[in-house]
Amino acid sequence: MLMITDVRNTSESVPLQKTTREIYLPPQRSTITGGGTAHIAAREFSVYYGEFEAVKKVSADILSKYVTAIIGPSGCGKSTFLRAINRMNDLIPSCHTTGALLFDGEDIYGKFTDEVLLRKKVGMVFQKPNPFPKSIFDNIAYGPRLHGVNDKKKLMEIVERSLRKAAIWDEVCDRLDKNALGLSGGQQQRLCVARTLAVEPEVLLLDEPTSALDPKATAKIEDLIQELRGSYTIMIVTHNMQQASRVSDSTMFFYEGILVEHAPTAQLFVNPKDPMTEDYITGRFS
Amino acid sequence: MNIGTRKILDRSFTAVGIGSIVVMALALMIVVVPIVYNGIGAVFFTGTVEHRKMLHAEFRRGDSQYLSSEVASSNRYRAKVYDMLTGFEAELETMAPEKKAEYQAKYSQVRTALQALLGPLPGDPEPMLTRFKYGQTRWEKAEEKLHDLLYESKWDNTNPNVMGKEYFVSRAIGFEGTSLARLFPYVKDNLENMLLPEFTFYWGFITDSSVDSHFFGGIWPEIQGTFFLAIGAMLFAFPLGVVAAVYFTEYAKPGFLNSMLRSANSTLAGVPSIVFGMFGLAFFINTMKVSESKSVIAGALTLAIMILPTIIRAAEEAILAVPKTYREASLSLGSTKWNTIATVILPAALPGILTGGVISLGRAAGETAPIIFTAAVSVGSAIGLADVFSSPTPALSWNIYNLASEHEAATQIRHVQYGMVLALVTIVLLLNLSAIVLRARISKKLKG
Ligand SMILES: Nc1ncnc2c1ncn2[C@@H]1O[C@H](COP(=O)(O)OP(=O)(O)O)[C@@H](O)[C@H]1O
Ligand SMILES: [Mg+2]
């Protein structure tokens, strides 16, 4: 097996644990593709809503700087798995987990894990665009301000850089002080991407980011993912098989909470190992 | 059901709907129109020279030169009245004793009526009470007093089976054959010359303090007291209510204590306001001793307790109505819970929170019962801001009741009572209106 060096700059990486490190596992080497280092690793990881096990004993490695697509029929636990990674499920009182989910080798659900710091490193874009009812500038500057940037010039730099990265700068540069809710749905979604990028995350979680958008806006978001590929570890939940095959390097197929197959995208779509995967991607069920 | 019947039902529902709205509007008119009509009379009315004299003497207002020319002109006509009085007094001396006694009694009634109409007569000692220092200041009152001068009111009690009936007897007839008989037609014909009625815009009704327990002057002490109490109540209740709402919606863990607190809050919202008044007296004044006796601070605290449940509920609803997505967006950017509440949830909930606040402010301004025992006095001057911890204050809500029911001359000052009612209604309406405007503006800003 090939040893691939970690491409991420780990020198300024801050540990997630508030105090004592509970467990530390060395970065996982990938078990599925020949290369890369696991940025996020799941081991026998389950998510429950009360008694109901929505994600069942998933073990997987999400490779650093790769685009990983998650596909599967509605209700199979895609969002649940994604939201487990930045602990958005904490908002649901009945939700709890078993097994291990590691970020950079650290236990995301560790007793001492600082979920605020985790979320800073693991940004998320939601299904429905959700800008704050504030100006475009304030939307983007929200995260940096939270994390202590107050200098007006520095903020302006960050805002411009983030908006450019999200390919929306040209459309909004002359109305940064206008309310973000005045933008179109597609623009709002790219604004949300920019807002997430402004806190300089390492991971970008996208939960069906285009399902509420028209085809033109969808194409723009897909282009954007292509732009960001290689700079961030990206996970995208999608209903759209074409989208998954267009934008991702590897694909996970979930069915009823079980990770049925996880393989490089080209392989999974052309030559699926599991008959269930084949049925799904050929559209025999949805 | 066939289409025909459905249409008929539809129409009749519409008719009933419109009908009930019309009835509501009419009821509102019936309440509001007299209040506005009579209340405005406290500010716009036909004032006499006595009103201008009073303003000049009590408030140093008005042009003294013009006033003295007016007084001189009015005195020219009054002089004749006074001459007739002296003439008749001389005539009295010449009468036979029993005749003299009979006229004396009637004459003193005439003098009293004239004093009420024109103010103190020559030779009268300087009155102690300000109300007796002037004649009628308002023309419509002067006309009533003229009637009192011209006619003696008598009661017909001959039929024991029915209530007595009032009837009037001309005083002029009583004095027929004496020199005083000329007085009555003279006063009747020259009243305008003696009182010089003039259209008056008395803006001071809002800003003046009262003179001789609201016989003259304005209602500023009451207006200021109402503002002190309502705003004071808000200062306590608003921050407390918002914090409590944040606690209930964001931090409270479901459990016994939480459900106890919640039901306590709901129960408080339904407690009659007089109970809050008693509570305020017992708790804030007698137990906590926030002040020696009644004070603005004790009243404000009592009102604060009364409006707290409303503010909490409004704020809770507003916070719960904030879309979940804002919270998710903020948290996903690495915000702490508290930061999310402060920078996203509360700003988005602000319109609802403020509306609840302003409506409660209106309620605090209008309530009477909670301040009876804790803050309100009937007569008093406007207090300074430094005195709120020790002094009670007059307030509109309480004084409307007090002036109408307990004032020694309630019927003489109807215009003041209506003026106060109008002032209170206006304040409450303006507060509610500003709530609507505020809400619309902030929601517009939030919606972009
Ligand atoms: N808050 C919740 N409480 C209870 N069950 C939930 C909740 N959210 C999702 N579920 C259930 O968990 C399963 C997975 O949901 P989800 O992850 O949203 O599916 P997907 O995103 O793949 O459509 C579904 O059966 C859903 O009904
Ligand atoms: Mg989903």
Side-chain angles (χ1 to χ4, degrees):
Chain A
M1 192 176 280
L2 274 167
M3 252 314 264
I4 302 285
T5 42
D6 190 349
V7 285
R8 277 172 294 117
N9 176 11
T10 47
S11 60
E12 56 180 335
S13 163
V14 187
L16 293 175
Q17 316 298 333
K18 281 173 189 156
T19 51
T20 332
R21 293 203 168 191
E22 226 184 24
I23 44 171
Y24 183 83
L25 303 178
Q28 305 289 310
R29 242 180 302 140
S30 166
T31 50
I32 50 157
T33 56
T37 319
H39 203 178
I40 297 155
R43 292 291 177 270
E44 304 265 295
F45 180 68
S46 295
V47 184
Y48 296 83
Y49 294 112
E51 298 285 296
F52 173 65
E53 192 176 9
V55 169
K56 293 174 184 151
K57 297 211 164 44
V58 166
S59 294
D61 294 327
I62 313 295
L63 297 189
S64 186
K65 314 264 159 148
Y66 272 47
V67 178
T68 303
I70 304 179
I71 60 170
S74 176
C76 69
K78 305 182 295 290
S79 299
T80 304
F81 181 65
L82 199 71
R83 291 163 62 94
I85 296 171
N86 70 344
R87 287 186 51 171
M88 287 312 278
N89 287 336
D90 289 8
L91 295 183
I92 299 156
S94 69
C95 185
H96 63 102
T97 64
T98 61
L101 188 62
L102 308 177
F103 174 77
D104 265 348
E106 291 183 72
D107 188 0
I108 289 173
Y109 287 89
K111 209 170 174 186
F112 301 105
T113 300
D114 182 351
E115 75 273 16
V116 171
L117 188 57
L118 171 75
R119 290 183 191 135
K120 184 172 180 285
K121 293 186 176 190
V122 184
M124 186 162 203
V125 173
F126 298 82
Q127 186 165 355
K128 257 177 74 190
N130 58 354
F132 297 122
K134 298 173 189 279
S135 73
I136 293 171
F137 183 92
D138 285 341
N139 261 280
I140 308 296
Y142 184 82
R145 278 190 181 129
L146 273 180
H147 302 299
V149 183
N150 283 312
D151 179 47
K152 187 88 190 165
K153 235 181 91 197
K154 190 104 185 282
L155 278 176
M156 192 57 226
E157 266 173 45
I158 295 175
V159 168
E160 178 171 350
R161 178 153 31 93
S162 309
L163 288 169
R164 278 190 194 284
K165 272 195 208 161
I168 190 184
W169 171 254
D170 295 336
E171 291 160 61
V172 300
C173 59
D174 56 342
R175 44 176 173 153
L176 292 178
D177 56 339
K178 293 274 157 25
N179 196 311
L181 296 180
L183 298 173
S184 74
Q187 288 174 324
Q188 286 188 10
Q189 194 62 302
R190 277 178 288 148
L191 181 88
C192 290
V193 174
R195 183 176 64 186
T196 307
L197 296 181
V199 296
E200 301 183 349
E202 298 170 16
V203 179
L204 211 51
L205 306 176
L206 309 166
D207 190 354
E208 303 194 32
T210 60
S211 68
L213 306 182
D214 59 59
K216 235 170 128 185
T218 301
K220 284 207 164 152
I221 297 279
E222 285 184 17
D223 290 347
L224 173 58
I225 295 170
Q226 296 295 0
E227 287 287 317
L228 300 174
R229 152 188 242 153
S231 317
Y232 301 89
T233 302
I234 297 176
M235 296 184 72
I236 173 170
V237 170
T238 178
H239 255 113
N240 183 330
M241 241 79 71
Q242 278 85 36
Q243 187 172 64
S245 63
R246 273 197 300 266
V247 301
S248 68
D249 301 308
S250 72
T251 301
M252 304 168 96
F253 170 59
F254 275 79
Y255 184 74
E256 291 187 349
I258 295 166
L259 175 58
V260 176
E261 189 163 353
H262 183 192
T265 301
Q267 184 190 320
L268 187 131
F269 278 99
V270 176
N271 194 5
K273 289 227 173 67
D274 198 289
M276 206 131 71
T277 316
E278 186 167 4
D279 281 357
Y280 182 68
I281 59 177
T282 53
R284 236 164 280 168
F285 70 98
S286 64
Chain B
M1 201 187 299
N2 72 34
I3 293 180
T5 17
R6 211 151 62 195
K7 264 192 181 156
I8 291 171
L9 269 180
D10 247 14
R11 292 231 175 98
S12 50
F13 273 128
T14 314
V16 169
I18 292 175
S20 61
I21 288 171
V22 168
V23 168
M24 290 280 289
L26 276 178
L28 199 67
M29 294 277 281
I30 289 169
V31 174
V32 169
V33 167
I35 290 177
V36 173
Y37 178 79
N38 290 305
I40 289 226
V43 181
F44 298 97
F45 56 93
T46 312
T48 67
V49 68
E50 295 296 311
H51 186 249
R52 298 185 288 276
K53 274 194 216 165
M54 183 279 294
L55 275 188
H56 189 261
E58 307 294 333
F59 295 102
R60 302 262 143 253
R61 209 174 288 145
D63 180 355
S64 15
Q65 222 166 357
Y66 178 69
L67 181 64
S68 42
S69 76
E70 271 194 322
V71 171
S73 139
S74 119
N75 278 351
R76 237 172 291 131
Y77 290 94
R78 292 179 186 206
K80 258 195 181 155
V81 175
Y82 302 150
D83 285 347
M84 285 183 218
L85 294 182
T86 2
F88 182 71
E89 275 161 31
E91 194 181 333
L92 267 181
E93 295 308 314
T94 64
M95 286 180 190
E98 64 268 34
K99 206 175 169 197
K100 180 180 167 184
E102 186 198 327
Y103 275 119
Q104 189 92 57
K106 285 198 228 164
Y107 174 63
S108 87
Q109 282 181 9
V110 171
R111 270 190 80 96
T112 312
L114 270 177
Q115 280 163 342
L117 190 58
L118 300 175
L121 303 173
D124 282 349
E126 172 78 2
M128 298 297 285
L129 288 172
T130 317
R131 70 188 73 162
F132 297 130
K133 285 186 189 166
Y134 305 97
Q136 289 306 310
T137 55
R138 299 169 65 94
W139 181 246
E140 86 273 3
K141 287 268 177 235
E143 284 177 323
E144 280 174 27
K145 296 293 173 190
L146 175 66
H147 189 268
D148 289 350
L149 173 71
L150 298 180
Y151 301 97
E152 187 180 358
S153 140
K154 291 213 165 164
W155 289 89
D156 173 14
N157 289 325
T158 47
N159 185 347
N161 298 324
V162 295
M163 292 281 285
K165 253 193 191 153
E166 189 178 21
Y167 66 98
F168 296 98
V169 183
S170 167
R171 291 191 205 270
I173 294 170
F175 285 96
E176 219 153 279
T178 71
S179 64
L180 203 66
R182 286 180 302 130
L183 175 94
F184 302 97
Y186 178 81
V187 173
K188 189 178 175 201
D189 294 340
N190 290 288
L191 190 65
E192 282 196 35
N193 293 327
M194 290 189 284
L195 287 176
L196 304 171
E198 211 174 73
F199 175 75
T200 305
F201 168 36
Y202 179 42
W203 50 268
F205 183 72
I206 308 294
T207 55
D208 283 343
S209 53
S210 109
V211 174
D212 193 3
S213 52
H214 289 293
F215 262 86
F216 309 117
I219 57 171
W220 177 244
E222 282 77 12
I223 292 179
Q224 191 206 276
T226 294
F227 272 108
F228 274 8
L229 286 167
I231 290 170
M234 263 341 251
L235 287 181
F236 292 112
F238 191 73
L240 209 65
V242 174
V243 169
V246 167
Y247 172 77
F248 277 139
T249 51
E250 303 284 338
Y251 290 97
K253 300 233 157 47
F256 178 71
L257 184 71
N258 187 30
S259 51
M260 278 292 287
L261 283 173
R262 275 172 174 282
S263 56
N265 189 43
S266 312
T267 313
L268 272 184
V271 169
S273 52
I274 186 74
V275 176
F276 283 105
M278 305 291 249
F279 167 79
L281 173 66
F283 184 69
F284 291 120
I285 297 180
N286 291 346
T287 310
M288 299 284 290
K289 303 219 187 307
V290 294
S291 56
E292 199 104 316
S293 65
K294 288 183 189 182
S295 69
V296 173
I297 187 98
L301 284 168
T302 309
L303 287 169
I305 299 287
M306 183 193 71
I307 59 178
L308 194 58
T310 321
I311 292 181
I312 293 179
R313 267 200 203 166
E316 266 189 307
E317 265 163 42
I319 289 171
L320 289 176
V322 174
K324 198 179 86 200
T325 58
Y326 292 173
R327 190 187 308 268
E328 285 184 337
S330 172
L331 290 175
S332 79
L333 291 168
S335 171
T336 58
K337 185 171 185 176
W338 166 242
N339 231 318
T340 301
I341 293 168
T343 57
V344 177
I345 308 285
L346 286 181
L350 198 61
I353 295 178
L354 283 181
T355 311
V358 181
I359 286 172
S360 305
L361 190 64
R363 174 141 186 252
E367 276 290 348
T368 314
I371 60 171
I372 297 177
F373 307 118
T374 55
V377 284
S378 324
V379 181
S381 45
I383 62 166
L385 205 52
D387 294 330
V388 295
F389 296 101
S390 52
S391 300
T393 179
L396 286 172
S397 57
W398 161 248
N399 262 22
I400 287 167
Y401 163 73
N402 179 63
L403 287 195
S405 64
E406 293 184 358
H407 193 275
E408 67 273 20
T411 54
Q412 302 289 303
I413 50 165
R414 289 282 183 236
H415 59 283
V416 181
Q417 296 155 13
Y418 275 115
M420 280 189 186
V421 173
L422 181 61
L424 184 59
V425 169
T426 309
I427 288 172
V428 173
L429 277 183
L430 281 181
L431 283 174
N432 286 343
L433 201 69
S434 66
I436 294 168
V437 172
L438 206 66
R439 187 186 184 106
R441 284 188 118 192
I442 299 178
S443 328
K444 199 171 154 225
K445 207 172 137 223
L446 288 178
K447 288 209 186 87

